[in-house]
Amino acid sequence: MGQSAGLLKLGAIDMGIQWSLWAVASYYQTEKFYDLAGSSTFALLSVLSLKSLNPALLTPRQKVQTCMVLAWAARLGSFLFHRVMHAGLDSRFDKVKANPSKFLLYWTVQGLWVYITLFPTLLLNRDSRGPPIGLRDYLGWSLWLTGFLLEAFADYQKSRFRAGPANAGKFITSGVWSLCRHPNYLGEIMLWSGLFISASSVMKGVDFASVLSPIFVAYLLTNVSGIPILERQAMKRWGSDPNYLKYRASTACLIPGLW
């Protein structure tokens, strides 16, 4: 199977999974496995993208890149699933899960998010070329590791903070949350940027358009589903609290010292 056909097949599998699970979620009006479905699809597609190659010919770059995707998917997917099961709901879906057509839009966007975000890795894993590991790879993997750890620490620190009875109804300003108001999203953008940088080692021509992967992640988190929603919720909850307003005014939104 040619590379283009293989990539299209992976896209079809991706959307097939999302739409099939939408039907189940819509019937039961539940969002509890939404995030787990997304992270699991990342893992599945990254593994399937290697199937066209002889296992003996897989390059170190492909193995490292795929393991990084699997590590991210396992950590974030399990974290988000545990969180929604503990909370009992995800407020993002309160107004849509009872409306099948609107709920379908969310599942469709998730499918696009998976495919576009993973595209540099899919290109890498469908390519039989294996230039030696170089500076670009180490730069990309270092950026991924930094972003992965930042996101993991941010999630851990916030979970621990919320678990403390004395912190009920409060907002976190300690740890990595003192650097910016959304360190987990900064980590997410960094790690996908790192995977693009490494994958670009084997790219040529139009392949470089897959830089849309980290750009799409950044746009989604800063303009659509991440920061805008959380910022509105925070202002609604703590907008009259002088301490929150001080934290908001003195702490960067996403990039320390810049924005």
Side-chain angles (χ1 to χ4, degrees), residues 85-148:
M85 293 303 292
H86 178 74
L89 56 83
D90 187 329
S91 60
R92 293 176 297 169
F93 301 93
D94 287 347
K95 297 180 180 179
V96 301
K97 61 185 177 183
N99 185 319
S101 59
K102 289 185 178 180
F103 205 17
L104 176 61
L105 179 61
Y106 277 69
W107 283 90
T108 301
V109 169
Q110 174 158 267
L112 293 173
W113 167 61
V114 170
Y115 194 70
I116 295 173
T117 303
L118 196 56
F119 202 68
T121 300
L122 299 181
L123 286 174
L124 169 64
N125 285 353
R126 303 287 298 185
D127 199 312
S128 59
R129 291 173 295 168
I133 301 297
L135 180 60
R136 194 185 305 185
D137 297 292
Y138 292 121
L139 175 62
W141 293 339
S142 296
L143 187 59
W144 179 90
L145 182 60
T146 303
F148 180 83

Coordinates of all heavy atoms in Angstrom, one line a residue, residues 85-148:
M85 N -14.0 10.2 36.2 CA -14.7 9.2 37.0 C -14.9 9.7 38.5 O -15.9 9.4 39.1 CB -14.0 7.9 36.9 CG -14.0 7.2 35.6 SD -15.7 7.0 34.9 CE -16.3 5.7 36.1
H86 N -13.8 10.4 38.9 CA -13.9 10.9 40.3 C -14.9 12.0 40.4 O -15.6 12.1 41.4 CB -12.5 11.4 40.7 CG -12.4 12.0 42.1 ND1 -12.5 11.2 43.2 CD2 -12.3 13.2 42.5 CE1 -12.4 12.0 44.3 NE2 -12.3 13.2 43.9
A87 N -14.9 12.9 39.4 CA -15.8 14.1 39.5 C -17.2 13.7 39.1 O -18.2 14.4 39.5 CB -15.3 15.2 38.5
G88 N -17.3 12.7 38.3 CA -18.7 12.2 37.9 C -19.2 12.9 36.6 O -20.2 12.5 36.1
L89 N -18.5 13.9 36.2 CA -18.9 14.6 34.9 C -17.7 15.5 34.4 O -16.8 15.7 35.1 CB -20.1 15.5 35.2 CG -20.1 16.5 36.3 CD1 -19.5 17.8 35.8 CD2 -21.5 16.8 36.8
D90 N -17.9 16.0 33.2 CA -17.0 17.0 32.6 C -17.9 18.1 32.1 O -18.7 18.0 31.2 CB -16.3 16.3 31.4 CG -15.2 17.2 30.9 OD1 -15.4 18.5 30.9 OD2 -14.2 16.7 30.3
S91 N -17.7 19.3 32.8 CA -18.6 20.4 32.5 C -18.6 20.9 31.1 O -19.5 21.6 30.7 CB -18.2 21.6 33.5 OG -16.9 22.0 33.3
R92 N -17.5 20.5 30.3 CA -17.5 20.9 28.9 C -18.7 20.4 28.1 O -19.1 21.0 27.1 CB -16.2 20.4 28.2 CG -14.9 21.0 28.7 CD -13.8 20.4 28.0 NE -13.7 19.0 28.3 CZ -12.9 18.1 27.7 NH1 -12.1 18.5 26.7 NH2 -12.8 16.8 28.1
F93 N -19.3 19.3 28.6 CA -20.3 18.6 27.8 C -21.7 18.7 28.4 O -22.6 18.1 27.9 CB -19.9 17.1 27.8 CG -18.6 16.8 27.1 CD1 -17.5 16.7 27.9 CD2 -18.5 16.7 25.7 CE1 -16.2 16.4 27.3 CE2 -17.3 16.5 25.1 CZ -16.1 16.3 25.9
D94 N -21.8 19.6 29.4 CA -23.1 19.7 30.1 C -24.3 20.1 29.1 O -25.4 19.6 29.3 CB -23.0 20.7 31.2 CG -22.3 20.2 32.4 OD1 -22.0 19.0 32.5 OD2 -21.9 21.1 33.3
K95 N -23.9 21.0 28.2 CA -25.0 21.5 27.3 C -25.1 20.8 25.9 O -25.9 21.1 25.1 CB -24.8 23.0 27.0 CG -24.9 23.8 28.3 CD -24.6 25.3 28.0 CE -24.8 26.1 29.3 NZ -24.5 27.6 29.0
V96 N -24.2 19.8 25.7 CA -24.2 19.1 24.4 C -24.4 17.6 24.4 O -24.9 17.1 23.4 CB -22.8 19.4 23.7 CG1 -22.6 20.9 23.5 CG2 -21.7 18.7 24.4
K97 N -24.2 16.9 25.5 CA -24.3 15.5 25.5 C -25.7 15.0 25.3 O -25.9 13.8 24.9 CB -23.6 14.9 26.8 CG -24.3 15.3 28.1 CD -23.5 14.7 29.2 CE -24.0 15.1 30.6 NZ -23.2 14.6 31.7
A98 N -26.7 15.8 25.6 CA -28.1 15.4 25.3 C -28.6 15.8 23.9 O -29.7 15.5 23.6 CB -29.0 16.0 26.4
N99 N -27.7 16.4 23.2 CA -28.0 16.9 21.8 C -27.1 16.1 20.9 O -25.9 16.4 20.7 CB -27.8 18.4 21.7 CG -28.2 18.9 20.3 OD1 -28.0 18.2 19.3 ND2 -28.8 20.1 20.3
P100 N -27.6 15.0 20.2 CA -26.7 14.2 19.4 C -25.9 14.9 18.3 O -24.7 14.6 18.1 CB -27.7 13.2 18.8 CG -28.8 13.1 19.8 CD -29.0 14.5 20.3
S101 N -26.5 15.9 17.7 CA -25.8 16.6 16.6 C -24.6 17.4 17.1 O -23.5 17.4 16.6 CB -26.7 17.4 15.7 OG -27.4 18.4 16.5
K102 N -24.9 18.1 18.2 CA -23.8 18.9 18.8 C -22.7 18.0 19.4 O -21.5 18.3 19.3 CB -24.4 19.9 19.9 CG -25.2 21.0 19.3 CD -25.7 21.9 20.4 CE -26.5 23.1 19.8 NZ -26.9 24.1 20.9
F103 N -23.2 16.9 20.0 CA -22.2 16.0 20.6 C -21.3 15.4 19.5 O -20.1 15.1 19.7 CB -23.0 14.9 21.4 CG -22.2 14.2 22.5 CD1 -21.0 14.8 23.0 CD2 -22.7 13.0 23.0 CE1 -20.3 14.2 24.0 CE2 -22.0 12.4 24.0 CZ -20.8 13.0 24.6
L104 N -21.9 15.1 18.4 CA -21.2 14.6 17.2 C -20.1 15.5 16.8 O -19.0 15.1 16.5 CB -22.1 14.3 16.1 CG -21.4 13.8 14.8 CD1 -20.7 12.5 15.0 CD2 -22.5 13.7 13.6
L105 N -20.3 16.8 16.9 CA -19.3 17.8 16.5 C -18.1 17.7 17.4 O -16.9 17.7 17.0 CB -19.9 19.2 16.6 CG -18.9 20.4 16.3 CD1 -18.4 20.3 14.9 CD2 -19.6 21.7 16.5
Y106 N -18.3 17.5 18.7 CA -17.2 17.3 19.6 C -16.4 16.1 19.3 O -15.1 16.1 19.3 CB -17.7 17.2 21.1 CG -18.0 18.5 21.7 CD1 -19.0 19.3 21.3 CD2 -17.2 19.0 22.8 CE1 -19.3 20.6 21.9 CE2 -17.4 20.2 23.4 CZ -18.5 21.0 22.9 OH -18.7 22.2 23.5
W107 N -17.0 15.0 19.0 CA -16.3 13.7 18.6 C -15.6 13.9 17.3 O -14.5 13.3 17.1 CB -17.3 12.6 18.6 CG -17.7 12.1 20.0 CD1 -18.7 12.5 20.7 CD2 -17.0 11.1 20.8 NE1 -18.7 11.8 21.9 CE2 -17.7 11.0 22.0 CE3 -15.9 10.3 20.5 CZ2 -17.3 10.1 23.0 CZ3 -15.5 9.4 21.5 CH2 -16.2 9.3 22.7
T108 N -16.2 14.6 16.4 CA -15.5 14.8 15.1 C -14.3 15.7 15.3 O -13.2 15.4 14.7 CB -16.5 15.5 14.1 OG1 -17.6 14.7 13.9 CG2 -15.8 15.8 12.8
V109 N -14.4 16.7 16.1 CA -13.2 17.6 16.3 C -12.1 16.8 17.0 O -10.9 17.0 16.7 CB -13.6 18.8 17.2 CG1 -12.4 19.5 17.7 CG2 -14.5 19.8 16.4
Q110 N -12.5 15.9 17.9 CA -11.5 15.0 18.5 C -10.8 14.2 17.5 O -9.5 14.0 17.5 CB -12.1 14.1 19.6 CG -11.1 13.1 20.2 CD -11.5 12.6 21.5 OE1 -11.1 13.1 22.5 NE2 -12.3 11.5 21.6
G111 N -11.5 13.6 16.5 CA -10.9 12.8 15.5 C -9.9 13.7 14.7 O -8.8 13.2 14.3
L112 N -10.3 14.9 14.3 CA -9.4 15.8 13.6 C -8.1 16.1 14.4 O -7.0 16.2 13.9 CB -10.1 17.1 13.2 CG -11.2 16.9 12.2 CD1 -12.0 18.2 12.0 CD2 -10.7 16.5 10.8
W113 N -8.4 16.4 15.7 CA -7.3 16.7 16.6 C -6.3 15.5 16.7 O -5.0 15.7 16.6 CB -7.8 16.9 18.0 CG -6.8 16.9 19.1 CD1 -5.7 17.8 19.3 CD2 -6.8 16.0 20.3 NE1 -5.0 17.4 20.4 CE2 -5.6 16.4 21.1 CE3 -7.6 14.9 20.7 CZ2 -5.3 15.7 22.2 CZ3 -7.2 14.3 21.9 CH2 -6.1 14.7 22.6
V114 N -6.8 14.3 16.8 CA -5.9 13.1 16.8 C -5.0 13.0 15.5 O -3.8 12.9 15.6 CB -6.7 11.8 17.0 CG1 -5.8 10.6 16.8 CG2 -7.3 11.8 18.4
Y115 N -5.7 13.1 14.4 CA -5.0 12.9 13.1 C -4.1 14.0 12.8 O -2.9 13.8 12.4 CB -6.1 12.8 12.0 CG -5.5 12.2 10.7 CD1 -5.1 10.9 10.6 CD2 -5.4 13.1 9.6 CE1 -4.6 10.4 9.4 CE2 -4.9 12.5 8.4 CZ -4.5 11.2 8.3 OH -4.0 10.7 7.2
I116 N -4.5 15.3 12.9 CA -3.6 16.4 12.6 C -2.4 16.4 13.6 O -1.3 16.6 13.1 CB -4.4 17.7 12.6 CG1 -5.4 17.7 11.5 CG2 -3.4 18.9 12.5 CD1 -6.4 18.9 11.6
T117 N -2.7 16.2 14.8 CA -1.6 16.3 15.8 C -0.6 15.2 15.6 O 0.6 15.4 15.7 CB -2.2 16.2 17.2 OG1 -3.1 17.2 17.4 CG2 -1.1 16.3 18.3
L118 N -1.0 14.0 15.3 CA -0.2 12.8 15.1 C 0.5 12.8 13.7 O 1.4 11.9 13.5 CB -1.0 11.6 15.4 CG -0.3 10.3 15.6 CD1 0.7 10.4 16.8 CD2 -1.3 9.1 15.9
F119 N 0.1 13.6 12.8 CA 0.5 13.5 11.4 C 2.0 13.4 11.2 O 2.5 12.6 10.4 CB -0.1 14.6 10.6 CG -0.2 14.2 9.1 CD1 -1.0 13.3 8.7 CD2 0.7 14.9 8.2 CE1 -1.1 12.9 7.3 CE2 0.6 14.5 6.8 CZ -0.3 13.5 6.4
P120 N 2.8 14.3 11.9 CA 4.3 14.1 11.7 C 4.8 12.7 12.1 O 5.7 12.2 11.4 CB 4.9 15.2 12.6 CG 3.8 16.2 12.7 CD 2.5 15.4 12.7
T121 N 4.3 12.1 13.1 CA 4.7 10.8 13.5 C 4.2 9.8 12.5 O 4.9 8.8 12.2 CB 4.1 10.5 14.9 OG1 4.6 11.4 15.9 CG2 4.5 9.1 15.4
L122 N 3.0 9.9 12.0 CA 2.5 9.0 11.0 C 3.4 9.1 9.7 O 3.7 8.0 9.1 CB 1.0 9.4 10.6 CG 0.0 9.3 11.7 CD1 -1.4 9.6 11.2 CD2 0.0 7.9 12.4
L123 N 3.8 10.3 9.3 CA 4.7 10.4 8.2 C 6.0 9.7 8.4 O 6.5 9.0 7.6 CB 4.9 11.9 7.9 CG 3.8 12.6 7.2 CD1 4.2 14.1 7.1 CD2 3.5 12.1 5.8
L124 N 6.5 9.9 9.6 CA 7.8 9.3 10.0 C 7.7 7.7 10.0 O 8.6 7.1 9.4 CB 8.2 9.7 11.4 CG 9.4 9.0 12.1 CD1 10.7 9.2 11.3 CD2 9.6 9.4 13.5
N125 N 6.6 7.2 10.5 CA 6.5 5.8 10.7 C 6.1 5.1 9.4 O 6.2 3.9 9.3 CB 5.4 5.5 11.8 CG 6.0 5.7 13.2 OD1 7.2 6.0 13.3 ND2 5.1 5.6 14.1
R126 N 5.7 5.8 8.4 CA 5.5 5.2 7.1 C 6.7 5.4 6.1 O 6.6 4.9 5.0 CB 4.2 5.9 6.4 CG 3.0 5.9 7.2 CD 2.3 4.6 7.3 NE 1.9 4.1 6.0 CZ 1.2 3.0 5.8 NH1 0.9 2.3 6.8 NH2 0.9 2.6 4.6
D127 N 7.7 5.9 6.6 CA 8.9 6.2 5.8 C 10.0 5.2 6.1 O 10.4 5.0 7.2 CB 9.4 7.6 6.0 CG 10.3 8.1 4.9 OD1 11.2 7.4 4.5 OD2 10.1 9.3 4.5
S128 N 10.5 4.5 5.1 CA 11.6 3.5 5.2 C 13.0 4.1 5.3 O 13.9 3.4 5.6 CB 11.5 2.5 4.1 OG 11.7 3.1 2.8
R129 N 13.1 5.4 5.1 CA 14.4 6.0 5.2 C 14.8 6.2 6.6 O 14.0 6.4 7.5 CB 14.4 7.4 4.5 CG 14.2 7.4 3.0 CD 14.0 8.8 2.5 NE 12.8 9.4 3.0 CZ 12.5 10.7 2.9 NH1 13.3 11.5 2.3 NH2 11.3 11.2 3.3
G130 N 16.1 6.1 6.9 CA 16.6 6.2 8.3 C 17.9 6.9 8.4 O 18.9 6.3 8.7
P131 N 17.9 8.2 8.1 CA 19.2 8.9 8.3 C 19.6 8.8 9.8 O 18.8 8.7 10.7 CB 18.8 10.4 7.9 CG 17.3 10.4 8.0 CD 16.8 9.1 7.7
P132 N 20.9 8.9 10.0 CA 21.4 8.8 11.4 C 20.8 9.8 12.3 O 20.4 10.9 12.0 CB 22.9 9.1 11.2 CG 23.2 8.8 9.8 CD 22.0 9.2 9.0
I133 N 20.6 9.4 13.6 CA 20.2 10.3 14.6 C 21.1 11.5 14.7 O 22.3 11.3 14.7 CB 20.1 9.5 16.0 CG1 19.2 8.3 15.9 CG2 19.6 10.5 17.1 CD1 17.8 8.6 15.6
G134 N 20.5 12.7 14.8 CA 21.3 13.9 14.8 C 20.9 14.9 15.8 O 20.0 14.6 16.6
L135 N 21.4 16.1 15.7 CA 21.1 17.2 16.6 C 19.6 17.5 16.6 O 19.1 17.8 17.7 CB 21.9 18.4 16.2 CG 21.7 19.6 17.1 CD1 22.1 19.3 18.6 CD2 22.6 20.8 16.6
R136 N 19.0 17.5 15.4 CA 17.6 17.8 15.4 C 16.7 16.8 16.2 O 15.8 17.2 16.9 CB 17.1 17.8 13.9 CG 15.7 18.5 13.7 CD 15.3 18.3 12.3 NE 16.2 18.8 11.3 CZ 16.0 18.9 10.0 NH1 14.8 18.5 9.5 NH2 16.9 19.3 9.2
D137 N 17.1 15.6 16.2 CA 16.4 14.6 17.0 C 16.6 14.8 18.5 O 15.6 14.8 19.2 CB 16.9 13.2 16.6 CG 16.6 12.8 15.2 OD1 15.5 12.6 14.8 OD2 17.6 12.7 14.4
Y138 N 17.8 15.1 18.9 CA 18.0 15.3 20.3 C 17.3 16.6 20.8 O 16.8 16.6 21.9 CB 19.5 15.4 20.6 CG 20.2 14.1 20.4 CD1 21.3 13.9 19.4 CD2 19.9 12.9 21.1 CE1 21.9 12.7 19.2 CE2 20.5 11.7 20.9 CZ 21.5 11.6 19.9 OH 22.1 10.4 19.8
L139 N 17.3 17.6 19.9 CA 16.6 18.8 20.3 C 15.1 18.5 20.4 O 14.5 19.0 21.4 CB 16.8 19.9 19.2 CG 16.0 21.2 19.3 CD1 16.4 21.9 20.6 CD2 16.3 22.1 18.1
G140 N 14.5 17.8 19.5 CA 13.1 17.5 19.5 C 12.7 16.7 20.7 O 11.7 16.9 21.4
W141 N 13.5 15.6 21.0 CA 13.2 14.7 22.1 C 13.4 15.4 23.4 O 12.7 15.2 24.4 CB 14.1 13.5 22.0 CG 13.8 12.6 20.8 CD1 12.6 12.6 20.1 CD2 14.7 11.7 20.2 NE1 12.7 11.7 19.1 CE2 13.9 11.1 19.1 CE3 15.9 11.2 20.4 CZ2 14.5 10.2 18.2 CZ3 16.5 10.3 19.6 CH2 15.7 9.7 18.5
S142 N 14.4 16.4 23.5 CA 14.6 17.1 24.7 C 13.4 18.0 25.0 O 12.9 18.2 26.1 CB 15.9 18.0 24.7 OG 17.0 17.1 24.6
L143 N 12.9 18.6 23.9 CA 11.7 19.5 24.0 C 10.5 18.7 24.5 O 9.7 19.1 25.3 CB 11.4 20.2 22.7 CG 10.3 21.3 22.7 CD1 10.6 22.4 23.7 CD2 10.2 21.9 21.3
W144 N 10.4 17.5 23.9 CA 9.3 16.6 24.2 C 9.4 16.2 25.7 O 8.3 16.3 26.5 CB 9.3 15.3 23.4 CG 8.2 14.3 23.8 CD1 7.0 14.2 23.3 CD2 8.3 13.3 24.8 NE1 6.2 13.3 23.9 CE2 7.0 12.7 24.9 CE3 9.3 12.9 25.7 CZ2 6.7 11.6 25.8 CZ3 9.0 11.8 26.6 CH2 7.7 11.2 26.6
L145 N 10.5 15.8 26.2 CA 10.7 15.4 27.6 C 10.4 16.5 28.5 O 9.7 16.3 29.6 CB 12.1 14.9 27.8 CG 12.4 14.4 29.2 CD1 11.5 13.2 29.6 CD2 13.9 14.0 29.4
T146 N 10.8 17.8 28.2 CA 10.5 18.9 29.0 C 9.0 19.2 29.1 O 8.5 19.4 30.2 CB 11.3 20.2 28.5 OG1 12.7 19.9 28.4 CG2 11.0 21.4 29.4
G147 N 8.4 19.1 27.9 CA 7.0 19.4 27.9 C 6.2 18.3 28.6 O 5.2 18.5 29.3
F148 N 6.6 17.0 28.4 CA 5.9 15.9 29.1 C 6.0 16.0 30.6 O 5.0 15.8 31.3 CB 6.6 14.6 28.6 CG 6.0 13.3 29.2 CD1 4.9 12.8 28.7 CD2 6.6 12.7 30.3 CE1 4.3 11.6 29.2 CE2 6.1 11.6 30.9 CZ 4.9 11.0 30.3

